[in-house]
Amino acid sequence: MRNVTDAIMANLDTESAQTPGSLKWEGLSEIDQAIRDNRLMEYRIKKSWADPWARSLTIAVLVVIAAGFSYLAGASFGLW
């Protein structure tokens, strides 16, 4: 009699984590490898930081947030 979990669980241990992707699907294999290594957030941050528009937008948003916090901190200390 077969175990019930054998039918439900995926056969992940037989799939190699180092499966080489073809050159045509290079970007998708990179994302697939990131998902497999559980580092998708790191992949997204690196890719968005490499994009000049996304990097500029990220820096601008961080500057606005820092200015808002510094204004609130200055107001709480009675500087203005």
Side-chain angles (χ1 to χ4, degrees):
M1 185 168 153
R2 292 190 62 171
N3 194 351
V4 176
T5 57
D6 289 341
I8 297 172
M9 294 183 63
N11 197 1
L12 297 176
D13 57 343
T14 60
E15 296 175 6
S16 173
Q18 301 296 329
T19 305
S22 67
L23 295 176
K24 191 165 74 171
W25 298 100
E26 191 173 306
L28 293 177
S29 67
E30 190 177 343
I31 292 171
D32 187 43
Q33 183 67 32
I35 291 170
R36 222 180 280 127
D37 293 345
N38 198 16
R39 57 180 178 82
L40 189 58
M41 183 59 79
E42 178 187 355
Y43 172 80
R44 287 179 180 164
I45 290 171
K46 284 183 179 180
K47 284 295 189 180
S48 68
W49 192 253
D51 181 27
W53 285 102
R55 183 174 45 232
S56 300
L57 181 64
T58 302
I59 292 171
V61 167
L62 290 176
V63 166
V64 168
I65 290 172
F69 277 125
S70 62
Y71 173 78
L72 291 175
S76 70
F77 289 121
L79 298 176
W80 42 79

